[in-house]
Amino acid sequence: MSMAANVVIAIVALLHLYFLVLEMFLWDKPAGLRAFGHSAETAASSKVLAANQGLYNGFLAAGLLWGLSLGAAGTHIQVFFLLCVLIAGVYGAVTASRKILYVQALPALIGLALRALS
């Protein structure tokens, strides 16, 4: 189970690095517009907020990778950052888009469950 937990946690981290790129660098580009379903006008007016959000996603990814790099000693760090991702995902699903529940919260929940079983 430990290897499965590590793989899922790494995937969650990589997803958040992808979110960082989308929100910080591609928000108002075709890939970002498609991913978030925004118009060019909406994207232009919210670009600074999206970049800030992307930076936070980068911090979540960094925390998860830090926890993984410490091996067994990083378990508490992994759990903390997975809980942060889960809470952010649930909040995003309630306030922005239900899709966030499946893209962000569910992978974090799976990572937490696997970490608890390992």
Side-chain angles (χ1 to χ4, degrees), residues 20-80:
L20 174 147
V21 170
L22 276 175
E23 293 167 349
M24 292 190 80
F25 306 111
L26 302 177
W27 184 256
D28 58 349
K29 307 294 187 280
L33 296 175
R34 274 192 311 276
F36 296 103
H38 295 301
S39 67
E41 296 78 24
T42 301
S45 68
S46 59
K47 186 175 181 173
V48 173
L49 293 173
N52 188 49
Q53 185 171 295
L55 187 61
Y56 281 96
N57 278 310
F59 290 140
L60 292 172
L64 291 169
L65 294 173
W66 172 40
L68 285 173
S69 75
L70 297 175
T75 298
H76 291 93
I77 295 165
Q78 295 165 27
V79 169
F80 172 78

Side-chain angles (χ1 to χ4, degrees), residues 85-101 104-105:
V85 170
L86 177 63
I87 292 166
V90 169
Y91 183 79
V94 170
T95 60
S97 169
R98 182 169 288 169
K99 178 180 167 184
I100 296 171
L101 189 64
Q104 185 173 3

